[in-house]
Amino acid sequence: MWRGLLLKGTTCLLQVSAQRFLHQRHFSSQCFSLLTNRSLHKLPGTPCIPRIKQTDFFLFNNLIRSYKKDAKSTVEFPLSPITVTDIKQYLRSKEIPFHDGYSCLHIPSIFIDPSTRKDSFSLFIDKTTGQFLCKDTLVEGSWEDLQDCLEVMQKEEQSSLSPHVLLGYPESPEEQEERERELREVQGIWSRSVTFTDVLEEEAQLIKTMFQITKISNATLKKFGVRLFKPTKSLVFPWFGGPDSSLKGIKLLSAQRVDAEKVVYNEATVPKCSSYFNLFGLALVNRMDSEVVVTGSELDALAVSQSTGLPSVALPRGVSCLPPALLPYLEQFKRVTLWLGGDIRSWEASKIFSRKLGLRRCTLVRPGEFQPCPLEALSQGKNLSRIVKASIPAAHKSIVSFKQLRDDVFGELMNTDQVAGVKWTRFPELNRILKGHRKGELTVFTGPTGSGKTTFISEFALDLCMQGVNTLWGSFEINNVRLAKTMLTQFAMQRLEENLEQYDFWADKFEELPLYFMTFHGQQNIKTVLDTMQHAVYLYDINHVIIDNLQFMMGQESLSVDKFAVQDHIIGMLRKFSTNSSCHVTLIIHPRKEEDDRELQTASIFGSAKASQEADNVLILQEKKLVTSPGRRSLQVTKNRFDGDVGIFPLDFIKSSLTFSTPIKGKQKLRKVAPKPESEAEVQEKGNDGPLKKDEGKKEKATKTVKTSQRPKEFHFIKSLTTWEK
């Protein structure tokens, strides 16, 4: 708890905006008395605050805000990884009984008097992170917090700690005001929304047609508490939680007609997405239920419940992530069926989430023509109970036959566009060559010094992050403030220093992106970096990790070890991580020193043998020196393991927005710098290979086709609450 904060400092992993817990974070008042000798009274935000001058109030306020964010982040991201063996050994040393669950250890709650808890194992400890949650009192915290509480109980010879004497983190006026505003907004929308039974039949049918839920009965909507917010014609899904099942938040789903045939559905949550931890439908689950169907949307949960009668819940952010804070609420089920949708992305998410939930109890509904998402299956009149019963086990053996792979192969052939991965919106030519961004691959990226590698790769990753790809940045060369400033400029596509009045608007939008940063800077040990990456994948289902760059992870190794052997070892570990974690890793490697007039090749990558062999994709940022400008850039794909396509296309650097784009047709060609004259030794060394290489160069140039496209338009946000256009 505070001990970890004081001794270990800040975390190795921070999000753009500090995450909030599912419930208020608590710690014991006895813990405060235990820690008073550790200068806790000197920390800002605690009850003992020294008198400060009015001139320093603004600075002090910022100090409190930054301290609180660090404190919360430290709890979520421990510096020293905890193993389930360590947790079990500690519990045995304290003579605390425990049950070994699927993803958590269960122990009797220490926040309930033993005479009243009836040996209920209601306190859950996450096996991976050590985070604990008491379902009876909703007290939660880190593994260090639990250790501190147990030490206090042992020292004071107490059998339990009362949850009524616990204290939460002191809130700043800004945070308190924001929390109260969100609560007022939730209550206001909920009070103004109406049930479908209170809506005219014609209007109700129109709304159901808009959201394609004509087969969902009013009784099912009432059972789950779904309402209609008339001002925006939006569906309202409630979040009931806590011991009293009070209203903690809402999600609104609105429809917007794009053209005559296409409708776009937008979601908005209150509180904001990073604080919204709802398992929709959990309030209807009985303590005796042993089977549940987990879906990717609230409408799918309605369809499953109505058709099968099974308990069904929906994840708060669909297939993008499964927050570990929700795992204790799924511990009671002996069978968990993951039916997250009917496409390849939902199938990949199902396999990833099953690892968190426990492979031996999870079954997966394989998407396909006859097994679409639950809502579509209900609309098509399919038997949802039969589909759930036919789900396949998530656990698999080390050796499989083609019979077991047959359906997977057919699914990839039928959904070739989805299998290709997430498409870039700012780099259409990259889609033409690589086809998309896929999980479980390793991309090696290189380019000349000063050519803009970090700037390009930040926009490369930002493009994907804006489409919901959970991204983790590991920048060892550039500090996170400068990197975030660059990405925010690329996000807003303008210089915000010249438009400071727009900063809060774009910063608020930028906070909502699933973007995280490691706080490493300078040389780091590869094991520490991998531990942090594994932790982030578990907590936030990271899909894309950027490492900038490889050379900064080699300095911590012994100088007596060959540097190429160290590099091969690091690349091998990153390759293994990307495959086992189903996470895409983009690795930036500096090239060897080449002549200015020569283009880089795959062989130009530093220690290229292992890097090019293990990589699925090799990208090179080429730069040609020009007389009239700093340089002309292009992106070359020299390796593409997915389908073998390679190629090159030009880039234009727009300094005002720090973005790259495909140049417009008809742009004036710039004269290249004349190459240096070759010496006689170099000519003799080339021998007869010179004309051959020249011919090959002409042939390669003739086969390259470069398409041009318009510059990417400025990114516009569509409001979540939109009115229905007839």
Short mmCIF file of all heavy atoms in Angstrom, two decimals, residues 207-258:
data_model
loop_
_atom_site.label_atom_id
_atom_site.label_comp_id
_atom_site.label_asym_id
_atom_site.label_seq_id
_atom_site.Cartn_x
_atom_site.Cartn_y
_atom_site.Cartn_z
N ILE A 207 -38.65 2.20 -32.97
CA ILE A 207 -37.37 2.15 -32.24
C ILE A 207 -36.75 0.76 -32.36
O ILE A 207 -35.54 0.62 -32.59
CB ILE A 207 -37.58 2.52 -30.76
CG1 ILE A 207 -38.08 3.97 -30.64
CG2 ILE A 207 -36.28 2.34 -29.97
CD1 ILE A 207 -37.11 5.01 -31.16
N LYS A 208 -37.55 -0.27 -32.20
CA LYS A 208 -37.03 -1.64 -32.30
C LYS A 208 -36.49 -1.92 -33.70
O LYS A 208 -35.49 -2.63 -33.86
CB LYS A 208 -38.11 -2.65 -31.94
CG LYS A 208 -38.45 -2.69 -30.46
CD LYS A 208 -39.44 -3.81 -30.15
CE LYS A 208 -39.68 -3.94 -28.66
NZ LYS A 208 -40.60 -5.05 -28.33
N THR A 209 -37.15 -1.37 -34.71
CA THR A 209 -36.66 -1.55 -36.07
C THR A 209 -35.33 -0.84 -36.28
O THR A 209 -34.42 -1.35 -36.94
CB THR A 209 -37.69 -1.01 -37.08
OG1 THR A 209 -38.94 -1.68 -36.88
CG2 THR A 209 -37.22 -1.25 -38.51
N MET A 210 -35.19 0.35 -35.68
CA MET A 210 -33.94 1.09 -35.77
C MET A 210 -32.77 0.26 -35.25
O MET A 210 -31.70 0.22 -35.86
CB MET A 210 -34.03 2.38 -34.96
CG MET A 210 -34.86 3.48 -35.59
SD MET A 210 -35.21 4.81 -34.40
CE MET A 210 -33.60 5.12 -33.73
N PHE A 211 -32.98 -0.41 -34.12
CA PHE A 211 -31.90 -1.16 -33.47
C PHE A 211 -31.96 -2.66 -33.77
O PHE A 211 -31.22 -3.43 -33.16
CB PHE A 211 -31.95 -0.94 -31.95
CG PHE A 211 -31.67 0.47 -31.54
CD1 PHE A 211 -32.70 1.36 -31.25
CD2 PHE A 211 -30.37 0.94 -31.45
CE1 PHE A 211 -32.44 2.67 -30.88
CE2 PHE A 211 -30.10 2.24 -31.08
CZ PHE A 211 -31.13 3.11 -30.79
N GLN A 212 -32.83 -3.05 -34.70
CA GLN A 212 -32.92 -4.45 -35.15
C GLN A 212 -33.20 -5.40 -33.99
O GLN A 212 -32.60 -6.47 -33.87
CB GLN A 212 -31.63 -4.86 -35.87
CG GLN A 212 -31.29 -3.98 -37.05
CD GLN A 212 -29.97 -4.36 -37.71
OE1 GLN A 212 -29.42 -5.42 -37.46
NE2 GLN A 212 -29.48 -3.49 -38.58
N ILE A 213 -34.13 -4.99 -33.12
CA ILE A 213 -34.49 -5.82 -31.97
C ILE A 213 -35.99 -6.11 -31.97
O ILE A 213 -36.62 -6.20 -30.91
CB ILE A 213 -34.08 -5.14 -30.64
CG1 ILE A 213 -34.69 -3.74 -30.53
CG2 ILE A 213 -32.57 -5.07 -30.51
CD1 ILE A 213 -34.46 -3.09 -29.16
N THR A 214 -36.55 -6.27 -33.14
CA THR A 214 -37.99 -6.54 -33.22
C THR A 214 -38.36 -7.86 -32.56
O THR A 214 -39.50 -8.04 -32.13
CB THR A 214 -38.44 -6.55 -34.69
OG1 THR A 214 -37.62 -7.48 -35.44
CG2 THR A 214 -38.30 -5.16 -35.32
N LYS A 215 -37.40 -8.79 -32.49
CA LYS A 215 -37.67 -10.10 -31.87
C LYS A 215 -37.52 -10.06 -30.35
O LYS A 215 -37.84 -11.04 -29.68
CB LYS A 215 -36.74 -11.15 -32.46
CG LYS A 215 -36.97 -11.45 -33.94
CD LYS A 215 -38.31 -12.13 -34.15
CE LYS A 215 -38.53 -12.52 -35.59
NZ LYS A 215 -37.64 -13.62 -36.02
N ILE A 216 -36.98 -8.97 -29.81
CA ILE A 216 -36.83 -8.85 -28.36
C ILE A 216 -38.14 -8.36 -27.77
O ILE A 216 -38.66 -7.31 -28.16
CB ILE A 216 -35.68 -7.89 -27.99
CG1 ILE A 216 -34.37 -8.35 -28.61
CG2 ILE A 216 -35.55 -7.77 -26.48
CD1 ILE A 216 -33.84 -9.64 -28.09
N SER A 217 -38.68 -9.09 -26.83
CA SER A 217 -39.98 -8.75 -26.25
C SER A 217 -39.85 -7.62 -25.22
O SER A 217 -38.76 -7.39 -24.66
CB SER A 217 -40.61 -9.97 -25.58
OG SER A 217 -39.81 -10.39 -24.48
N ASN A 218 -40.96 -6.95 -24.96
CA ASN A 218 -40.97 -5.90 -23.94
C ASN A 218 -40.68 -6.47 -22.55
O ASN A 218 -40.10 -5.80 -21.70
CB ASN A 218 -42.31 -5.17 -23.94
CG ASN A 218 -42.49 -4.29 -25.17
OD1 ASN A 218 -41.52 -3.98 -25.85
ND2 ASN A 218 -43.72 -3.90 -25.45
N ALA A 219 -41.09 -7.72 -22.33
CA ALA A 219 -40.85 -8.36 -21.04
C ALA A 219 -39.35 -8.53 -20.80
O ALA A 219 -38.86 -8.31 -19.68
CB ALA A 219 -41.55 -9.71 -20.98
N THR A 220 -38.61 -8.91 -21.84
CA THR A 220 -37.16 -9.06 -21.69
C THR A 220 -36.51 -7.71 -21.44
O THR A 220 -35.60 -7.58 -20.60
CB THR A 220 -36.56 -9.71 -22.95
OG1 THR A 220 -37.17 -10.99 -23.15
CG2 THR A 220 -35.06 -9.88 -22.82
N LEU A 221 -36.94 -6.68 -22.17
CA LEU A 221 -36.39 -5.34 -21.96
C LEU A 221 -36.66 -4.84 -20.54
O LEU A 221 -35.80 -4.23 -19.90
CB LEU A 221 -36.99 -4.37 -22.99
CG LEU A 221 -36.64 -4.64 -24.46
CD1 LEU A 221 -37.45 -3.74 -25.38
CD2 LEU A 221 -35.15 -4.43 -24.70
N LYS A 222 -37.86 -5.13 -20.04
CA LYS A 222 -38.20 -4.70 -18.68
C LYS A 222 -37.41 -5.49 -17.65
O LYS A 222 -36.98 -4.95 -16.63
CB LYS A 222 -39.70 -4.89 -18.46
CG LYS A 222 -40.17 -4.41 -17.10
CD LYS A 222 -41.68 -4.57 -16.95
CE LYS A 222 -42.14 -4.07 -15.58
NZ LYS A 222 -43.61 -4.22 -15.41
N LYS A 223 -37.20 -6.78 -17.92
CA LYS A 223 -36.44 -7.63 -16.99
C LYS A 223 -35.03 -7.09 -16.79
O LYS A 223 -34.51 -7.08 -15.67
CB LYS A 223 -36.41 -9.06 -17.53
CG LYS A 223 -35.54 -10.02 -16.75
CD LYS A 223 -35.51 -11.38 -17.43
CE LYS A 223 -34.54 -12.33 -16.74
NZ LYS A 223 -34.48 -13.64 -17.45
N PHE A 224 -34.39 -6.64 -17.87
CA PHE A 224 -33.03 -6.13 -17.78
C PHE A 224 -32.98 -4.63 -17.48
O PHE A 224 -31.89 -4.07 -17.38
CB PHE A 224 -32.28 -6.41 -19.08
CG PHE A 224 -31.78 -7.82 -19.22
CD1 PHE A 224 -32.60 -8.82 -19.68
CD2 PHE A 224 -30.48 -8.15 -18.87
CE1 PHE A 224 -32.15 -10.12 -19.80
CE2 PHE A 224 -30.01 -9.45 -18.98
CZ PHE A 224 -30.85 -10.44 -19.45
N GLY A 225 -34.15 -3.99 -17.37
CA GLY A 225 -34.18 -2.58 -17.04
C GLY A 225 -33.84 -1.66 -18.18
O GLY A 225 -33.44 -0.51 -17.95
N VAL A 226 -33.97 -2.12 -19.42
CA VAL A 226 -33.64 -1.29 -20.58
C VAL A 226 -34.74 -0.26 -20.80
O VAL A 226 -35.92 -0.59 -20.79
CB VAL A 226 -33.46 -2.16 -21.84
CG1 VAL A 226 -33.09 -1.30 -23.04
CG2 VAL A 226 -32.40 -3.23 -21.60
N ARG A 227 -34.35 0.97 -20.99
CA ARG A 227 -35.30 2.06 -21.20
C ARG A 227 -35.00 2.80 -22.50
O ARG A 227 -34.00 2.54 -23.17
CB ARG A 227 -35.27 3.03 -20.02
CG ARG A 227 -35.76 2.45 -18.70
CD ARG A 227 -35.86 3.54 -17.63
NE ARG A 227 -36.34 3.03 -16.36
CZ ARG A 227 -36.58 3.79 -15.30
NH1 ARG A 227 -36.40 5.12 -15.37
NH2 ARG A 227 -37.01 3.26 -14.18
N LEU A 228 -35.88 3.76 -22.80
CA LEU A 228 -35.73 4.60 -23.98
C LEU A 228 -35.58 6.05 -23.56
O LEU A 228 -36.39 6.57 -22.79
CB LEU A 228 -36.96 4.45 -24.90
CG LEU A 228 -37.01 5.39 -26.11
CD1 LEU A 228 -35.89 5.08 -27.08
CD2 LEU A 228 -38.37 5.29 -26.81
N PHE A 229 -34.51 6.68 -24.05
CA PHE A 229 -34.29 8.11 -23.81
C PHE A 229 -34.83 8.86 -25.03
O PHE A 229 -34.19 8.93 -26.08
CB PHE A 229 -32.80 8.39 -23.60
CG PHE A 229 -32.50 9.79 -23.17
CD1 PHE A 229 -33.01 10.31 -21.99
CD2 PHE A 229 -31.69 10.61 -23.95
CE1 PHE A 229 -32.71 11.60 -21.59
CE2 PHE A 229 -31.41 11.90 -23.56
CZ PHE A 229 -31.92 12.40 -22.38
N LYS A 230 -36.01 9.41 -24.90
CA LYS A 230 -36.73 9.98 -26.04
C LYS A 230 -36.03 11.14 -26.74
O LYS A 230 -36.07 11.23 -27.97
CB LYS A 230 -38.13 10.40 -25.61
CG LYS A 230 -39.11 9.25 -25.46
CD LYS A 230 -40.52 9.77 -25.25
CE LYS A 230 -41.54 8.63 -25.29
NZ LYS A 230 -42.92 9.12 -25.15
N PRO A 231 -35.39 12.07 -26.00
CA PRO A 231 -34.78 13.22 -26.70
C PRO A 231 -33.81 12.83 -27.81
O PRO A 231 -33.70 13.55 -28.81
CB PRO A 231 -34.06 13.97 -25.57
CG PRO A 231 -34.84 13.63 -24.34
CD PRO A 231 -35.29 12.22 -24.53
N THR A 232 -33.10 11.72 -27.65
CA THR A 232 -32.15 11.30 -28.69
C THR A 232 -32.50 9.95 -29.29
O THR A 232 -31.72 9.40 -30.07
CB THR A 232 -30.72 11.21 -28.10
OG1 THR A 232 -30.73 10.30 -27.00
CG2 THR A 232 -30.24 12.57 -27.63
N LYS A 233 -33.67 9.41 -28.93
CA LYS A 233 -34.10 8.08 -29.42
C LYS A 233 -33.01 7.04 -29.15
O LYS A 233 -32.63 6.26 -30.01
CB LYS A 233 -34.41 8.14 -30.91
CG LYS A 233 -35.56 9.07 -31.29
CD LYS A 233 -36.88 8.56 -30.75
CE LYS A 233 -38.05 9.36 -31.30
NZ LYS A 233 -38.03 10.77 -30.87
N SER A 234 -32.48 7.05 -27.92
CA SER A 234 -31.39 6.15 -27.55
C SER A 234 -31.87 5.10 -26.56
O SER A 234 -32.74 5.38 -25.71
CB SER A 234 -30.23 6.93 -26.91
OG SER A 234 -29.76 7.95 -27.77
N LEU A 235 -31.29 3.90 -26.68
CA LEU A 235 -31.54 2.86 -25.69
C LEU A 235 -30.65 3.12 -24.48
O LEU A 235 -29.48 3.49 -24.62
CB LEU A 235 -31.24 1.47 -26.26
CG LEU A 235 -32.09 1.01 -27.44
CD1 LEU A 235 -31.68 -0.40 -27.87
CD2 LEU A 235 -33.58 1.03 -27.09
N VAL A 236 -31.21 2.91 -23.28
CA VAL A 236 -30.48 3.16 -22.04
C VAL A 236 -30.30 1.82 -21.32
O VAL A 236 -31.28 1.17 -20.96
CB VAL A 236 -31.22 4.15 -21.13
CG1 VAL A 236 -30.41 4.43 -19.87
CG2 VAL A 236 -31.50 5.45 -21.87
N PHE A 237 -29.03 1.42 -21.11
CA PHE A 237 -28.72 0.18 -20.40
C PHE A 237 -28.16 0.56 -19.03
O PHE A 237 -27.13 1.24 -18.94
CB PHE A 237 -27.69 -0.64 -21.17
CG PHE A 237 -28.11 -0.99 -22.57
CD1 PHE A 237 -27.60 -0.29 -23.65
CD2 PHE A 237 -29.04 -1.99 -22.80
CE1 PHE A 237 -27.99 -0.60 -24.94
CE2 PHE A 237 -29.44 -2.30 -24.08
CZ PHE A 237 -28.92 -1.61 -25.17
N PRO A 238 -28.79 0.12 -17.94
CA PRO A 238 -28.35 0.54 -16.60
C PRO A 238 -27.20 -0.31 -16.08
O PRO A 238 -26.99 -1.45 -16.50
CB PRO A 238 -29.61 0.32 -15.75
CG PRO A 238 -30.30 -0.83 -16.42
CD PRO A 238 -30.02 -0.69 -17.90
N TRP A 239 -26.46 0.27 -15.16
CA TRP A 239 -25.40 -0.43 -14.42
C TRP A 239 -25.79 -0.41 -12.95
O TRP A 239 -25.69 0.60 -12.28
CB TRP A 239 -24.06 0.27 -14.65
CG TRP A 239 -22.95 -0.25 -13.78
CD1 TRP A 239 -22.93 -1.41 -13.04
CD2 TRP A 239 -21.69 0.38 -13.53
NE1 TRP A 239 -21.75 -1.54 -12.37
CE2 TRP A 239 -20.96 -0.46 -12.64
CE3 TRP A 239 -21.10 1.56 -13.97
CZ2 TRP A 239 -19.68 -0.14 -12.19
CZ3 TRP A 239 -19.82 1.87 -13.53
CH2 TRP A 239 -19.13 1.03 -12.65
N PHE A 240 -26.28 -1.55 -12.48
CA PHE A 240 -26.64 -1.70 -11.08
C PHE A 240 -25.51 -2.42 -10.36
O PHE A 240 -25.03 -3.46 -10.82
CB PHE A 240 -27.94 -2.49 -10.93
CG PHE A 240 -29.14 -1.81 -11.52
CD1 PHE A 240 -29.78 -2.35 -12.62
CD2 PHE A 240 -29.62 -0.63 -10.99
CE1 PHE A 240 -30.88 -1.73 -13.18
CE2 PHE A 240 -30.72 0.01 -11.54
CZ PHE A 240 -31.36 -0.55 -12.64
N GLY A 241 -25.08 -1.90 -9.22
CA GLY A 241 -23.98 -2.52 -8.48
C GLY A 241 -24.02 -2.15 -7.03
O GLY A 241 -24.82 -1.31 -6.58
N GLY A 242 -23.14 -2.78 -6.26
CA GLY A 242 -23.08 -2.52 -4.83
C GLY A 242 -24.00 -3.42 -4.05
O GLY A 242 -24.86 -4.12 -4.61
N PRO A 243 -23.87 -3.44 -2.72
CA PRO A 243 -24.73 -4.28 -1.89
C PRO A 243 -26.21 -3.97 -2.04
O PRO A 243 -27.05 -4.86 -1.92
CB PRO A 243 -24.23 -3.97 -0.46
CG PRO A 243 -22.87 -3.40 -0.63
CD PRO A 243 -22.88 -2.69 -1.93
N ASP A 244 -26.52 -2.69 -2.31
CA ASP A 244 -27.92 -2.31 -2.44
C ASP A 244 -28.37 -2.26 -3.89
O ASP A 244 -29.49 -1.81 -4.18
CB ASP A 244 -28.14 -0.94 -1.80
CG ASP A 244 -27.20 0.12 -2.36
OD1 ASP A 244 -26.27 -0.25 -3.11
OD2 ASP A 244 -27.38 1.31 -2.04
N SER A 245 -27.54 -2.75 -4.82
CA SER A 245 -27.88 -2.75 -6.25
C SER A 245 -28.34 -1.38 -6.72
O SER A 245 -29.35 -1.24 -7.42
CB SER A 245 -28.95 -3.81 -6.54
OG SER A 245 -28.47 -5.10 -6.27
N SER A 246 -27.60 -0.35 -6.33
CA SER A 246 -27.95 1.01 -6.73
C SER A 246 -27.47 1.29 -8.15
O SER A 246 -26.63 0.58 -8.70
CB SER A 246 -27.33 2.01 -5.76
OG SER A 246 -25.91 1.88 -5.76
N LEU A 247 -28.00 2.35 -8.74
CA LEU A 247 -27.64 2.75 -10.10
C LEU A 247 -26.28 3.44 -10.06
O LEU A 247 -26.13 4.51 -9.46
CB LEU A 247 -28.70 3.68 -10.68
CG LEU A 247 -28.49 4.12 -12.14
CD1 LEU A 247 -28.59 2.92 -13.08
CD2 LEU A 247 -29.52 5.18 -12.53
N LYS A 248 -25.28 2.85 -10.71
CA LYS A 248 -23.92 3.38 -10.69
C LYS A 248 -23.52 4.03 -12.01
O LYS A 248 -22.55 4.78 -12.07
CB LYS A 248 -22.93 2.27 -10.36
CG LYS A 248 -23.16 1.61 -9.02
CD LYS A 248 -22.19 0.49 -8.78
CE LYS A 248 -20.77 0.99 -8.59
NZ LYS A 248 -20.62 1.78 -7.36
N GLY A 249 -24.23 3.74 -13.09
CA GLY A 249 -23.90 4.32 -14.39
C GLY A 249 -24.87 3.84 -15.44
O GLY A 249 -25.75 3.01 -15.19
N ILE A 250 -24.71 4.36 -16.64
CA ILE A 250 -25.57 3.98 -17.76
C ILE A 250 -24.75 3.96 -19.04
O ILE A 250 -23.69 4.58 -19.14
CB ILE A 250 -26.76 4.96 -17.94
CG1 ILE A 250 -26.24 6.39 -18.10
CG2 ILE A 250 -27.75 4.87 -16.80
CD1 ILE A 250 -27.30 7.40 -18.47
N LYS A 251 -25.25 3.22 -20.00
CA LYS A 251 -24.71 3.24 -21.36
C LYS A 251 -25.86 3.56 -22.30
O LYS A 251 -26.94 2.99 -22.21
CB LYS A 251 -24.09 1.89 -21.73
CG LYS A 251 -23.58 1.84 -23.18
CD LYS A 251 -23.05 0.48 -23.56
CE LYS A 251 -21.71 0.21 -22.95
NZ LYS A 251 -21.08 -1.03 -23.50
N LEU A 252 -25.62 4.49 -23.22
CA LEU A 252 -26.62 4.88 -24.20
C LEU A 252 -26.18 4.41 -25.57
O LEU A 252 -25.02 4.59 -25.97
CB LEU A 252 -26.82 6.40 -24.22
CG LEU A 252 -27.41 7.00 -22.94
CD1 LEU A 252 -26.31 7.65 -22.13
CD2 LEU A 252 -28.51 8.00 -23.26
N LEU A 253 -27.09 3.82 -26.29
CA LEU A 253 -26.85 3.36 -27.66
C LEU A 253 -27.76 4.12 -28.59
O LEU A 253 -28.99 4.07 -28.47
CB LEU A 253 -27.12 1.85 -27.77
CG LEU A 253 -26.89 1.22 -29.14
CD1 LEU A 253 -25.40 1.26 -29.51
CD2 LEU A 253 -27.39 -0.22 -29.17
N SER A 254 -27.17 4.87 -29.51
CA SER A 254 -27.94 5.68 -30.44
C SER A 254 -27.66 5.24 -31.87
O SER A 254 -26.64 4.60 -32.14
CB SER A 254 -27.60 7.17 -30.28
OG SER A 254 -26.22 7.38 -30.50
N ALA A 255 -28.56 5.57 -32.76
CA ALA A 255 -28.45 5.18 -34.17
C ALA A 255 -28.38 6.43 -35.03
O ALA A 255 -29.08 7.42 -34.78
CB ALA A 255 -29.64 4.31 -34.59
N GLN A 256 -27.55 6.37 -36.05
CA GLN A 256 -27.39 7.49 -36.97
C GLN A 256 -27.38 6.96 -38.39
O GLN A 256 -26.59 6.08 -38.73
CB GLN A 256 -26.09 8.25 -36.69
CG GLN A 256 -25.87 9.44 -37.60
CD GLN A 256 -24.51 10.07 -37.38
OE1 GLN A 256 -23.59 9.41 -36.92
NE2 GLN A 256 -24.38 11.34 -37.71
N ARG A 257 -28.26 7.49 -39.21
CA ARG A 257 -28.32 7.06 -40.60
C ARG A 257 -27.26 7.80 -41.41
O ARG A 257 -27.24 9.02 -41.47
CB ARG A 257 -29.70 7.32 -41.20
CG ARG A 257 -29.86 6.78 -42.62
CD ARG A 257 -31.22 7.15 -43.21
NE ARG A 257 -32.29 6.48 -42.51
CZ ARG A 257 -32.67 5.21 -42.74
NH1 ARG A 257 -32.03 4.50 -43.65
NH2 ARG A 257 -33.66 4.67 -42.08
N VAL A 258 -26.34 7.03 -42.02
CA VAL A 258 -25.28 7.62 -42.82
C VAL A 258 -25.75 7.88 -44.24
O VAL A 258 -25.53 8.93 -44.82
CB VAL A 258 -24.04 6.71 -42.82
CG1 VAL A 258 -22.94 7.29 -43.69
CG2 VAL A 258 -23.53 6.52 -41.40
#
